[in-house]
Amino acid sequence: MGKITNEELLQKVTAQFGETVTNVSMPYDLLTFETTRENIIELLAWLKTDAVLQFIYLTDLTAIHLPEQTGKEIGVIYHLHSLVNNVRLRIKVFMADGDLNIPSATRVWRGANWMERETYDFFGINFEGHPDLRRILNVDDMTVFPMRREYPLEDPNRVDKKDYFFGR
Amino acid sequence: MENQLVFNDNDPQTELSTLNLGPTHPATHGVFQNVIQLDGERIVSGVSTIGYIHRAFEKIAEHRPFYQITPLTDRLNYCSSPINNMGWHMTVEKLLNIQTPKRVDYLRIIVMELARLADHIVCNGVLGVDTGAFTGFLYMMEYREAIYEIYEEVCGSRLTTNIGRIGGFERNFNDIAFNKIRKFLDDFPKVLKEFENLFNRNRIFIDRTRGVAATSAETALDYSWSGPILRATGVDYDVRAMNPYCSYDDLDFEVPVGNTGDVYDRFLVRNEEMWQSMRMIQQCLDKIAKEDPAIFHADVPEFYLPPKEEVYNNMEALIYHFKIVMGEIETPVGEVYHSVEGANGELGFYLVNDGGRTPYRLHFRRPSFINYQMYAPMSRGMLLSDAIINMSSLNVIAGELDA
């Protein structure tokens, strides 16, 4: 296990960022909390540079779409890892669907570049200040953001795909 | 700016040439494109394009029950599919709070380390081919075949193995499989030694690789690198050692690290990892000898997909089989992040489950995708021939890059 417990970590974070840290939970021993997009870059930079915590490693960056959660439909999820203390951390930032702007984490880790491009490609989140925010896996002229819930996977039982329509 | 191409068409003195490296260039090892601007043989700028084989794995996974996601994970890093496969099942087991028996853990380690060996055989062999040495590749490929024969004995297939089940394996390892594993452990060290002799002090190989694409630990961490290429820079981050899963903490092994992070170091780290993998397999074989040979899965009938012969002969197994295949099993609400040490880095699964038939959200942290993003920026100022060697040493797998 890590050298810092989740409780100590949470204490340090709340001491620094106070009420902006909400919805704290620990699913499967991974400290998870929400914050706001105004604070996220400051929080990430602080976690990275803090002499004790040293969350120097951005493991993963992705998003989730929860359409029934009104006002907080889209969440960006950061997984950080403090390699020195061997503690992982999950941070979420939720946004309303019509207003998907969040500052880019590329200022803190250059490695966030493609992760944010992928997230933009799938969910349409605008990472402000990203050096090169383009689609990465899908074609450039695509108009939809395919991982969002309003685009269901094509139904294999669709009638117009039945074999007898094609003489098979 | 680092992902932009440079054009100085107006200046006749420095006319740059544009080269499309890929999507079907033999040296790109897969389907991705690098448009590079060359001043003579030196790269001035470059842009990488991936996504040529994007198959929407995450979207498909969100429409499938847990077991039907298994074949998708096999197709991420197809050079070492059992690692992805086991990683996925371990993620689900973490969600469902299933403890696997020790024998299952050791069998899993054996399969995963064999997969790592197969992957490193291909990667280091091809690195030799790209520097002009075909011999090493030919010697080693025979042993990847030997590993595939072991898979075949254990699960019936070779490349995309579908080897795991929630809680264990689909069938027990038979004696032929164990004999093949032992034979592999007897034969391979000699070949690996020969392979190292062929390369490690080879003047041409050293000239082509030492100092090429040297990367500092800070840069590698900044770009979230993981796996052998991160360890070559001197950071001893290995998921197996740092966050042990699957009883890796019972084993005695070392995490090899380099210091300069150049291509030569990456090659050495992979070679050393192959020795460590064999050491781990040997320890697991010794430990398994003390366990009950009949155990090959956890006793969780509501989640473990029973083998076919049991389904045909046992009413309970038939019922559970039916419920599982129809996606009627009850799963807890929760979110899990679980990572395993894939052959080319930290392979993570972020799973959000809402208790329905299918995962609500499933994200793969694919090491190739994250490792490769530095390729174009780091190629600046490099010779074209060095950029080719750099690419093969990064161990990019197109299936994982595009998912």
Side-chain angles (χ1 to χ4, degrees), chain A residues 10 13 20 27-28 31 36 42 55-56 61 67 69 78 85 99 102-103 114 116 138 143 147 152 163 165-166:
Chain A
L10 182 62
V13 174
T20 57
Y28 301 91
L31 180 63
T36 59
E42 203 189 328
F55 279 91
I56 49 174
L61 194 162
Q69 207 173 274
Y78 303 81
N85 301 304
D99 179 28
I102 186 168
W114 278 21
E116 286 182 349
N138 292 304
T143 50
M147 286 300 286
D163 278 352
F165 284 110
F166 299 94

Side-chain angles (χ1 to χ4, degrees), chain A residues 9 43-60 79-89 105 108-112 115, chain B residues 217-225 230 233-237 242 365:
Chain A
L9 175 58
L43 175 67
L44 293 176
W46 176 76
L47 284 167
K48 185 188 176 189
T49 49
D50 187 86
V52 182
L53 301 179
Q54 302 192 52
F55 279 91
I56 49 174
Y57 194 75
L58 176 68
T59 303
D60 193 22
H79 282 89
L80 312 186
H81 194 171
S82 165
L83 294 179
V84 181
N85 301 304
N86 191 17
V87 184
R88 288 178 195 266
L89 179 61
V108 190
W109 292 282
R110 278 184 289 170
M115 302 187 206
Chain B
E218 290 77 42
T219 319
L221 287 171
D222 196 25
Y223 273 97
S224 296
W225 274 15
L230 174 66
T233 67
V235 181
D236 67 335
Y237 173 47
M242 205 172 229
R365 185 223 192 256

Side-chain angles (χ1 to χ4, degrees), chain B residues 91-146:
Chain B
T91 312
V92 177
E93 281 159 18
K94 195 166 172 183
L95 178 80
L96 301 172
N97 279 320
I98 294 174
Q99 281 292 324
T100 45
K102 281 285 175 194
R103 185 165 187 271
V104 172
D105 284 357
Y106 298 140
L107 290 176
R108 280 183 169 175
I109 292 176
I110 290 176
V111 172
M112 285 195 285
E113 293 309 319
L114 284 172
R116 192 180 319 281
L117 279 158
D119 195 289
H120 286 354
I121 284 172
V122 176
C123 182
N124 272 357
V126 169
L127 184 55
V129 173
D130 283 349
T131 57
F134 196 33
T135 321
F137 181 68
L138 286 179
Y139 283 8
M140 299 267 277
M141 274 311 257
E142 194 186 334
Y143 289 85
R144 190 186 77 154
E145 177 65 20

Side-chain angles (χ1 to χ4, degrees), chain B residues 126-368:
Chain B
V126 169
L127 184 55
V129 173
D130 283 349
T131 57
F134 196 33
T135 321
F137 181 68
L138 286 179
Y139 283 8
M140 299 267 277
M141 274 311 257
E142 194 186 334
Y143 289 85
R144 190 186 77 154
E145 177 65 20
I147 291 170
Y148 278 6
E149 280 177 15
I150 297 167
Y151 296 165
E152 208 175 356
E153 208 53 58
V154 175
C155 70
S157 69
R158 296 159 57 84
L159 185 72
T160 50
T161 50
N162 216 334
I163 208 166
R165 292 289 181 269
I166 297 169
F169 288 91
E170 182 240 355
R171 59 183 102 157
N172 204 346
F173 282 40
N174 57 20
D175 289 339
I176 304 171
F178 281 117
N179 287 338
K180 282 186 172 169
I181 295 167
R182 279 190 210 101
K183 185 165 184 330
F184 177 83
L185 288 183
D186 288 344
D187 294 352
F188 189 58
K190 198 169 122 259
V191 179
L192 185 54
K193 192 79 221 143
E194 211 166 327
F195 182 77
E196 288 186 333
N197 290 342
L198 193 61
F199 285 100
N200 284 9
R201 296 183 57 206
N202 183 328
R203 192 70 251 165
I204 302 172
F205 185 72
I206 289 176
D207 283 350
R208 287 298 305 277
T209 53
R210 190 170 273 175
V212 173
T215 311
S216 69
E218 290 77 42
T219 319
L221 287 171
D222 196 25
Y223 273 97
S224 296
W225 274 15
S226 54
I229 58 169
L230 174 66
R231 290 192 283 276
T233 67
V235 181
D236 67 335
Y237 173 47
D238 185 318
V239 187
R240 290 172 293 174
M242 205 172 229
N243 301 100
Y245 50 93
C246 200
S247 298
Y248 268 106
D249 39 354
D250 293 1
L251 305 180
D252 185 23
F253 65 99
E254 280 151 31
V255 178
V257 289
N259 45 48
T260 57
D262 57 7
V263 175
Y264 186 65
D265 265 6
R266 294 174 199 162
F267 179 82
L268 295 184
V269 165
R270 285 203 185 90
N271 270 342
E272 188 52 40
E273 271 188 28
M274 286 201 253
W275 291 109
Q276 297 296 333
S277 290
M278 283 191 278
R279 199 173 147 199
M280 282 183 231
I281 296 172
Q282 187 58 54
Q283 291 176 44
C284 285
L285 285 176
D286 297 343
K287 284 179 189 293
I288 280 175
K290 298 180 194 105
E291 305 279 337
D292 179 0
I295 294 175
F296 63 99
H297 61 86
D299 188 20
V300 280
E302 62 271 37
F303 301 117
Y304 173 75
L305 189 67
K308 263 285 178 284
E309 54 268 31
E310 266 187 58
V311 176
Y312 292 147
N313 297 312
N314 180 337
M315 193 63 211
E316 293 291 306
L318 176 65
I319 293 169
Y320 283 125
H321 173 89
F322 193 69
K323 285 184 81 168
I324 291 167
V325 170
M326 297 306 285
E328 298 294 317
I329 50 175
E330 280 187 25
T331 51
V333 178
E335 58 180 332
V336 183
Y337 177 82
H338 183 75
S339 60
V340 295
E341 181 68 32
N344 47 2
E346 176 178 352
L347 174 72
F349 298 88
Y350 174 57
L351 167 67
V352 179
N353 194 37
D354 64 347
R357 285 183 71 226
T358 59
Y360 187 82
R361 173 89 175 97
L362 179 58
H363 178 74
F364 303 107
R365 185 223 192 256
R366 314 180 302 278
S368 282

